Amino acid sequence: MARYIFRRILQFIPVLIAISLFTFVLMQAIPGGPFDFAGDRSLPPTIVANLEAKYHLDWPMWKQYLSYMIGDDILGEEGGSRGVIRGDFGPSYHFRGQTVADIIKITLPVSAQLGFMSLLLAIIIGIPAGIIAALNQNSWIDYTTTFGAVMFVSIPNMVLAPILIWIFALILGWFPVAGWGAKPPYLLGFLPTALNKEFFSHAIMPVFALGTGSAAGIARLTRASLLQVIGEDYIRTARAKGLRERAVIVIHALKNSLIPVVTILGPAFAALLTGTFIVEQIFGINGMGKHFVTSVGNRDYQVITSVTLLYAVVLVIANLVVDITYAWLDPRIRYD
Amino acid sequence: MDNREVILDIQDLHARFHTQDGVVHAVNGITYQVHAGETLGIVGESGCGKSVSMLSVMDLLAKPPAEVQAEAILFKGEDLQHFSQAEMRKVRGSNMTMIFQDPMTSLNPVLTVGFQIKEPLKLHLGMSDEEATKRAAELLELVNIPEAENRLSDFPHQFSGGMRQRAMVAIALACNPTLLIADEPTTALDVTIQAQLVELVKGIQAKLGMALIWITHDLGVVAGLAERVIVMYAGFVVEDAQIDELYGNPLHPYTLALLKSLPRLDQRKEEALATIEGLPPSLLERPQSCPFEPRCEFAKPKCKESNPLLEAVGPDHKIACWVDIKTGELR
Ligand SMILES: Nc1ncnc2c1ncn2[C@@H]1O[C@H](COP(=O)(O)OP(=O)(O)OP(=O)(O)O)[C@@H](O)[C@H]1O
Ligand SMILES: [Mg+2]
């Protein structure tokens, strides 16, 4: 297993290089540059030229890329970049004086909190809902759950979020309209220090907006999967042993039925990540997703490439965790 | 006459399925007895209700769509129809056990073989995990799995088809059942493995003395195994006789046709195997006439008018037929 994980990580290095190169080139191909505007006003060309020279944007693109990835000293050039490989993601062009690392340190914990809670919500609502629906197949419980699942799968979060704000913040006034209830410093670098009312009242709507789609998808898959498993021969064997129905379901059906559910957690996680772009924007949450979108508008090249790389790493780790869980659930799967 | 105690007495068992296409009459009033320690073979074409009749007795059919009715289903003198679910669960898997057709799918793929054998031991005999592990290893040994102790922690996919079916036998034997029902346990196995399994079960039965119901559509297998055979057709029992009697003196046209379709060693190469023309009837209607009549070479007008009941025609020999196939005339 350790060898498998190691190999997966090695395989991922060329993928990361491709992603960084692709993002880097694509960003620079977009018309406009990071120094076109200061606030609402456009800057005089001489100042723009100076700034571009300062950040080496006048270098040929291959050199800029190598400077970003491996550092200036290896290139034999003057300049401060130590390269991504040594943990230097460079400065932000837009927020001058801040490095990309500074920005990530502030925004990543917020997004991680939002994303993790949404994933948790998706799992702890989705799986039980699917199980309950399957065990009460064709009853009103099943129909209600299935109807709810279809509804929430079909409502995109950019529609759900404003509806939630309108009802629960504006009409009922239960929750604040926007913002996030945890501030730095964070526990272990990403956990909120206090799980208080302030935190949850801010979190509840964005987490709901982000997580319900996945919860609904997981519920539908769990239901279908459990129904299929209940029809399997080995379930009849379990009943023929004289086991109670509860033991038949819990011991013999559940684990089998979760195997396909685990395999969609990878894509579900990716959906949550991209969902943060929208949800953080709508709820005005200062997370990485919102910052990422803003950075595209600002042509903040280093931020965009670095955050893209970070997303890629997170997704790969998530998929690795999924694969390991999968092997743990299904003894027929062995990696080596 | 068999003097052994009757342990299973099925009287007028019906099983129907309510489906979108209508009611499927899968079992249409079957009656037979099984004696202690007896080996009963049940044969018949695919779809004639062999499995459904056994699943009805074990109460393993999902209701709905299934609906089961019987005059009585007496197991060791008690009517299972009056048992509560909890009482039924105590019988199932301990006193009356069943193994199924497909060993590849009958074991749970995510649980170890050992766990699955230990389950009935803990449930019915209240064994501790330690005791159950010991007994499970003995059981695997009993079914001829080498290095039994080490194989307990294996998952089913690490077993071959034949081994899986033997593991199923081990599960079924765990609590020393009075009756073991084997529903075509060899159909999915290749021929040599089939023979091994039959020998194994025969040997175990001789040792433990449980009664055995062996379902198959292979009259050859039954010949080497059963003391008595029941022939089923379209949800009816059409013939019930001691094994020698059935092979030597078949009295139902369907049994005769089945026997003619068996390959024989003394058969000349150019002689084609006999087949039974036509198809079994649709089960969507309850037949008023003899269900075999359209395919029967002995059919008489009377066979169209009413369906013959199972009747004794000799000691230990019953058939459901209007015709005496020796003379070709009505009996
Ligand atoms: N759940 C069900 N719903 C509807 N019809 C069913 C159901 N289960 C069985 N049947 C029907 O009942 C009839 C008897 O089926 P059964 O499984 O007992 O046949 P069998 O004699 O065991 O055949 P085989 O040799 O193929 O196992 C078949 O016609 C089958 O289509
Ligand atoms: Mg069958």
Side-chain angles (χ1 to χ4, degrees):
Chain A
M1 188 58 121
R3 264 197 26 224
Y4 169 78
I5 295 172
F6 185 68
R7 213 180 54 225
R8 278 282 296 267
I9 291 170
L10 277 189
Q11 280 170 352
F12 185 55
I13 289 172
V15 177
L16 275 187
I17 293 173
I19 290 175
S20 60
L21 190 61
F22 195 66
T23 319
F24 201 86
V25 172
L26 212 61
M27 273 321 299
Q28 303 231 353
I30 303 176
F35 308 117
D36 292 353
F37 298 95
D40 291 340
R41 294 178 304 127
S42 53
L43 290 171
T46 47
I47 296 183
V48 172
N50 273 338
L51 281 169
E52 286 187 343
K54 181 184 168 205
Y55 290 110
H56 303 314
L57 290 174
D58 51 348
W59 285 1
M61 193 132 58
W62 63 268
K63 210 164 166 189
Q64 285 183 45
Y65 177 70
L66 286 182
S67 158
Y68 170 73
M69 290 299 283
I70 62 178
D72 290 333
D73 47 346
I74 296 179
L75 275 181
E77 285 284 349
E78 293 287 305
S81 169
R82 302 182 58 243
V84 168
I85 53 166
R86 279 172 288 175
D88 180 4
F89 294 94
S92 163
Y93 301 144
H94 188 77
F95 300 98
R96 259 153 270 168
Q98 282 191 43
T99 64
V100 176
D102 291 334
I103 292 172
I104 290 176
K105 220 178 280 169
I106 296 171
T107 57
L108 177 62
V110 172
S111 293
Q113 289 160 19
L114 173 61
F116 181 72
M117 284 192 287
S118 305
L119 187 64
L120 210 64
L121 178 93
I123 292 172
I124 61 178
I125 291 186
I127 291 178
I131 293 172
I132 291 169
L135 294 184
N136 296 287
Q137 194 193 4
N138 297 335
S139 72
W140 66 268
I141 300 177
D142 183 22
Y143 294 139
T144 317
T145 317
T146 308
F147 175 79
V150 172
M151 193 173 80
F152 280 114
V153 159
S154 356
I155 302 181
N157 45 29
M158 68 184 91
V159 175
L160 184 59
I163 294 177
L164 289 175
I165 293 175
W166 181 58
I167 297 177
F168 294 102
L170 299 181
I171 298 182
L172 297 171
W174 290 356
F175 309 116
V177 175
W180 193 249
K183 284 179 187 60
Y186 295 111
L187 228 62
L188 300 174
F190 73 101
L191 292 171
T193 35
L195 290 175
N196 49 19
K197 185 163 168 276
E198 160 89 355
F199 179 71
F200 286 114
S201 66
H202 279 93
I204 207 159
M205 286 198 298
V207 165
F208 195 79
L210 188 55
T212 41
S214 304
I218 290 175
R220 291 209 312 171
L221 187 63
T222 306
R223 176 185 180 275
S225 167
L226 183 55
L227 282 178
Q228 197 229 323
V229 167
I230 286 175
E232 296 283 346
D233 285 351
Y234 54 80
I235 296 299
R236 189 183 52 194
T237 306
R239 291 201 178 112
K241 283 178 183 169
L243 291 170
R244 319 171 149 269
E245 193 56 23
R246 187 156 12 106
V248 172
I249 299 296
V250 174
I251 300 173
H252 287 268
L254 277 189
K255 203 172 164 196
N256 281 294
S257 69
L258 289 184
I259 292 170
V261 178
V262 165
T263 59
I264 68 141
L265 286 185
F269 190 79
L272 286 183
L273 264 191
T274 46
T276 58
F277 299 168
I278 295 155
V279 169
E280 288 178 356
Q281 202 71 248
I282 296 177
F283 286 96
I285 297 167
N286 199 14
M288 207 164 71
K290 174 163 173 268
H291 215 87
F292 185 62
V293 176
T294 320
S295 303
V296 176
N298 291 334
R299 306 287 186 275
D300 206 342
Y301 299 147
Q302 315 268 56
V303 175
I304 295 161
T305 312
S306 303
V307 172
T308 307
L309 276 178
L310 192 65
Y311 279 136
V313 169
V314 168
L315 273 181
V316 162
I317 293 173
N319 277 310
L320 201 55
V321 171
V322 163
D323 286 351
I324 292 167
T325 317
Y326 185 47
W328 171 72
L329 277 176
D330 189 344
R332 287 164 295 189
I333 310 291
R334 279 287 164 267
Y335 305 121
D336 40 38
Chain B
M1 268 286 143
D2 203 322
N3 296 325
R4 289 172 293 188
E5 179 198 358
V6 173
I7 53 149
L8 181 67
D9 186 353
I10 300 174
Q11 296 172 14
D12 200 23
L13 174 72
H14 294 258
R16 289 181 276 271
F17 294 97
H18 297 271
T19 69
Q20 279 174 344
D21 302 332
V23 181
V24 178
H25 298 268
V27 178
N28 297 310
I30 59 173
T31 299
Y32 61 85
Q33 286 85 39
V34 184
H35 300 87
E38 182 182 28
T39 305
L40 172 71
I42 300 184
V43 297
E45 275 165 290
S46 191
C48 69
K50 305 181 296 292
S51 302
V52 169
S53 60
M54 288 295 102
L55 293 170
S56 310
V57 171
M58 291 276 284
D59 191 20
L60 281 176
L61 291 170
K63 302 172 196 169
E67 181 197 339
V68 175
Q69 268 171 8
E71 179 96 8
I73 305 174
L74 302 175
F75 182 62
K76 298 209 240 178
E78 289 181 284
D79 196 337
L80 296 180
Q81 294 181 104
H82 302 148
F83 275 30
S84 69
Q85 296 233 348
E87 288 170 323
M88 197 58 214
R89 280 201 302 268
K90 276 199 192 124
V91 176
R92 219 190 279 143
S94 62
N95 277 325
M96 193 197 296
T97 56
M98 188 160 178
I99 52 180
F100 302 98
Q101 183 161 343
D102 192 350
M104 304 316 261
T105 56
S106 291
L107 287 166
N108 192 326
V110 306
L111 300 172
T112 63
V113 174
F115 180 93
Q116 299 184 59
I117 300 178
K118 278 161 22 180
E119 242 179 343
L121 294 169
K122 292 179 179 173
L123 179 73
H124 296 293
L125 306 180
M127 284 191 184
S128 69
D129 192 63
E130 217 171 307
E131 294 168 318
T133 307
K134 229 180 108 215
R135 176 93 177 106
E138 289 169 13
L139 283 163
L140 271 193
E141 230 157 80
L142 181 71
V143 295
N144 289 341
I145 290 191
E147 292 180 64
E149 220 161 316
N150 299 329
R151 305 305 301 254
L152 288 178
S153 53
D154 280 4
F155 287 94
H157 71 275
Q158 291 161 292
F159 274 36
S160 69
M163 284 165 74
R164 286 188 213 186
Q165 198 59 296
R166 279 181 275 154
M168 283 295 293
V169 174
I171 293 173
L173 293 176
C175 305
N176 261 325
T178 317
L179 171 65
L180 169 61
I181 302 167
D183 186 357
E184 306 195 39
T186 58
T187 311
L189 304 174
D190 64 55
V191 184
T192 43
I193 309 284
Q194 273 186 25
Q196 282 175 17
L197 192 84
V198 171
E199 284 310 310
L200 175 81
V201 174
K202 243 164 95 173
I204 289 172
Q205 193 206 12
K207 214 184 294 180
L208 303 180
M210 76 274 185
L212 180 62
I213 296 181
W214 192 285
I215 299 177
T216 178
H217 33 234
D218 186 344
L219 275 167
V221 169
V222 169
L225 188 71
E227 298 166 51
R228 191 161 63 93
V229 179
I230 281 174
V231 181
M232 284 185 68
Y233 187 80
F236 295 92
V237 172
V238 294
E239 184 152 10
D240 175 342
Q242 297 299 314
I243 185 91
D244 299 339
E245 177 81 2
L246 189 97
Y247 282 77
N249 181 27
L251 293 178
H252 194 283
Y254 177 61
T255 315
L256 189 68
L258 276 181
L259 287 171
K260 274 194 194 154
S261 67
L262 268 185
R264 287 192 322 270
L265 280 178
D266 59 355
Q267 194 161 27
R268 275 174 294 130
K269 261 216 184 97
E270 56 277 17
E271 218 178 304
L273 279 180
T275 51
I276 309 176
E277 294 291 320
L279 289 171
S282 155
L283 298 172
L284 285 170
E285 289 161 56
R286 244 212 107 168
Q288 301 308 312
S289 58
C290 171
F292 190 59
E293 181 272 334
R295 303 167 78 184
C296 182
E297 54 176 312
F298 301 97
K300 291 267 175 286
K302 178 164 189 192
C303 304
K304 260 196 161 54
E305 284 158 23
S306 62
N307 188 4
L309 294 174
L310 194 65
E311 270 185 288
V313 287
D316 281 337
H317 198 155
K318 297 178 190 145
I319 58 166
C321 182
W322 296 124
V323 181
D324 181 345
I325 58 171
K326 301 242 166 77
T327 61
E329 296 304 318
L330 288 175
R331 279 191 292 123

